[in-house]
Amino acid sequence: MRIKKLVCLALAALLLLGFFSGCVQDKREELLEKAEQYLRQGDCALAVRILDTYLEQEPENITAKELYAQYYHATEQFLLEAEAYYRLIKQAQDNDISLEGYYLACAAAYLQLGYREDALEIYQEGAARLPQAEQLRQKADELDAQLHPPGQLSPKPDENGVYHMTVPGEKTALEVIFSGTEEDGALPAAYRQAIESFEEATGHTVSCQTLPQGVPLNENHIKNGLCFIGTQKELDALTAAGVLVSLEEMREEYPNLGEHYREELCGRGPDGKIYALPAAGGWSGLFINQKALKSCGVALPGEGYTWEQFLRDCEAIKDSGKIPIAAEDTEAGWGPWVELGLWNNTPASRQSAALPWTLALEDMKELYDKGYIQKTEQAEDASEAASPFDMLLDGEAVFMLGDDNDCANLAAALQRRDEEPGSLYVTPPPVKDTAKAGQVVGDLTGGWAMSRTVWDDPEKRMAAVSLYSHLTAANIAAGGKEAYLFSALKVSDGAEEKDMLKKMLETSFFPLVRGMRPSTLAEVTAAEGGQWLKILHQVLTEALTPQEAAENLNQTEGQGLQEREKAEESNAGE
């Protein structure tokens, strides 16, 4: 019916164009006759649109004014009629013989006004109240079928980004392939609950498969549904194989899909298009104690903060008697700095599988030798251990490289201190290549993507889109980690720590972020069988040169790559 109205509107517009371009008198009369006809048919909305356009050009036309008066009279009449019958409905007893007639008359008045959804509600209410009223039930079914054809989705998603199925239609079987799981292979509770609610609401079925750790997704897994991509490497491989559908293509049919995400931070393929909407994702940033920085006479870093500027600021901070950088002597403490060094020294187009360990380790040694990075030793008693968070909040240290998980730790520390986060600031990490300015590490921990196979299947597409929106909803936290909800990846908020850090992130970090860069953390922690931290200590104490350490690390990484490739080939064969 909506299409029919649009067609009628287009015809009316053409008639008006012809008339006001100098057409003959009969065109004008024909147009007014159409408006009058629509009024008689009860299609008041279309009639008034024609008259509005007509009266803009001919404001003194008597016939048009008279028709306009009829419209308002009809509108007022039908509204009063609908209200009157609904009052009778509410006052009537269930055994009132007139009740069915009241419902039919009330719905008819709404239909005359063009309020078809309201009319449907009246029919459905009457059919539920009067099970024996066959006419009410028949009219409800007919109008419902017209308004909501089987298998249709809601025109727009709800506040969480979920497209609900108005009428599920034929039952559909979908699949979800999940990569990057815990060792036990369990699907995170948030996703499991989303799938269960989808099945309950629609009647469709979803079978789930979780891949063992270390077994990457490949095109043989992507058959009949959605996939959860664990790493950027998996995303690149699946995109290259042509088995995924881009968000841009899906939005041609569902324009509001994923609108609650910051698009510049989503998972993109080599062609620059978005293929994965992370229900969770990480970011890294340089946390700064503004008060401590100011006391050192150093300006707050702005957009495009360079490595050279960072080193100069560290020197000024050190000269002022404060510790430039706080980092715990653990993988969690050193890892972000090593990763930053690897990324800072990796060319835009990586020619070799080997990571630039030599340059990265040289950067770490420079920070250590110049006294810029203060490692906090682990104590036997955890309560006595120096915390980089406390050092930062106390103003003993000025910088700390952290991620979205650290938000929760900082929030907890602030809560213990009963303090506000006004002195804290976070900015994207310093870069050597200004082309990378404003980017952050993006470990794709939860990128949901849709397979080309299910998208191209007209019987499954709408169900798959609805499931896709359930799994990427704004109120889902991957793995139950609230910190991910309040991530740079999503526009929405909802994490417990938001009251503490929301203002800081919104005024400093988020506006400066310009894009994601793939994480190398998995490759870092896998290097030398996970012994990279021991090798780093050997470099810092000059037991090994950066080049010697890099040779060992790259050799081990190469062996690791070969082993992973063999595992992928074996898995593909299965």
Side-chain angles (χ1 to χ4, degrees), residues 480-495:
K481 295 181 180 179
E482 287 84 356
Y484 282 147
L485 261 180
F486 192 65
S487 161
L489 290 170
K490 286 190 174 183
V491 175
S492 61
D493 58 25

Side-chain angles (χ1 to χ4, degrees), residues 155-421:
K156 289 185 179 180
D158 63 18
E159 65 276 8
N160 288 315
V162 175
Y163 276 89
H164 296 280
M165 301 200 74
T166 54
V167 181
E170 295 296 325
K171 299 301 180 284
T172 298
L174 298 171
E175 295 178 0
V176 167
I177 308 297
F178 196 88
S179 172
T181 62
E182 303 288 340
E183 288 187 7
D184 61 4
L187 193 69
Y191 301 139
R192 188 170 61 251
Q193 292 167 5
I195 290 172
E196 289 173 355
S197 67
F198 169 80
E199 289 181 316
E200 182 179 352
T202 66
H204 299 312
T205 59
V206 181
S207 60
C208 301
Q209 177 186 353
T210 56
L211 298 180
Q213 276 194 329
V215 178
L217 277 170
N218 60 50
E219 60 268 30
N220 294 318
H221 295 124
I222 313 304
K223 297 176 181 178
N224 198 27
L226 312 179
C227 59
F228 182 99
I229 299 174
T231 65
Q232 183 72 38
K233 182 179 179 181
E234 286 180 341
L235 178 62
D236 289 344
L238 294 171
T239 303
V243 295
L244 301 180
V245 184
S246 71
L247 181 64
E248 289 84 348
E249 182 176 349
M250 288 189 280
R251 279 182 172 170
E252 291 178 7
E253 190 164 344
Y254 306 100
N256 302 109
L257 189 62
E259 63 183 354
H260 52 289
Y261 282 90
R262 294 188 62 190
E263 293 183 14
E264 69 272 24
L265 304 182
C266 292
R268 295 179 182 270
D271 59 0
K273 294 182 179 179
I274 297 173
Y275 287 90
L277 288 181
W283 53 261
S284 67
L286 187 67
F287 290 84
I288 303 168
N289 186 314
Q290 293 190 73
K291 188 181 296 184
L293 185 70
K294 186 177 181 180
S295 70
C296 299
V298 178
L300 194 65
E303 189 170 356
Y305 193 41
T306 68
W307 184 254
E308 292 74 19
Q309 290 173 316
F310 173 66
L311 294 179
R312 288 197 298 269
D313 289 346
C314 286
E315 185 66 26
I317 293 167
K318 178 186 172 185
D319 290 343
S320 298
K322 291 188 179 295
I323 300 169
I325 302 167
E328 197 170 29
D329 190 18
T330 61
E331 284 192 12
W334 291 109
W337 288 100
V338 173
E339 183 177 40
L340 177 62
L342 289 168
W343 180 74
N344 256 333
N345 294 288
T346 299
S349 113
R350 185 172 163 183
Q351 301 297 323
S352 168
L355 292 171
W357 278 104
T358 301
L359 297 175
L361 292 172
E362 286 177 356
D363 284 350
M364 287 295 298
K365 193 170 188 323
E366 180 179 14
L367 294 177
Y368 185 81
D369 289 346
K370 290 183 176 181
Y372 296 161
I373 191 164
Q374 174 66 47
K375 65 177 183 179
T376 59
E377 301 289 350
Q378 289 183 297
E380 292 184 7
D381 184 353
S383 63
E384 297 177 1
S387 164
F389 303 106
D390 289 330
M391 292 176 66
L392 180 72
L393 294 172
D394 288 337
E396 295 177 23
V398 177
F399 297 130
M400 186 191 81
L401 191 61
D403 58 23
D404 55 325
N405 280 324
D406 293 324
C407 281
N409 294 322
L410 281 169
L414 287 166
Q415 288 171 343
R416 289 195 302 270
R417 295 160 171 261
D418 194 23
E419 293 180 11
E420 294 296 324

Side-chain angles (χ1 to χ4, degrees), residues 262 283 424-426 486-487 490-494 498 500-513:
R262 294 188 62 190
W283 53 261
L424 295 181
Y425 185 90
V426 62
F486 192 65
S487 161
K490 286 190 174 183
V491 175
S492 61
D493 58 25
K498 69 177 181 179
M500 281 291 181
L501 297 175
K502 182 177 180 180
K503 183 177 180 180
M504 178 186 73
L505 294 171
E506 287 185 344
T507 57
S508 58
F509 181 71
F510 287 174
L512 297 178
V513 173

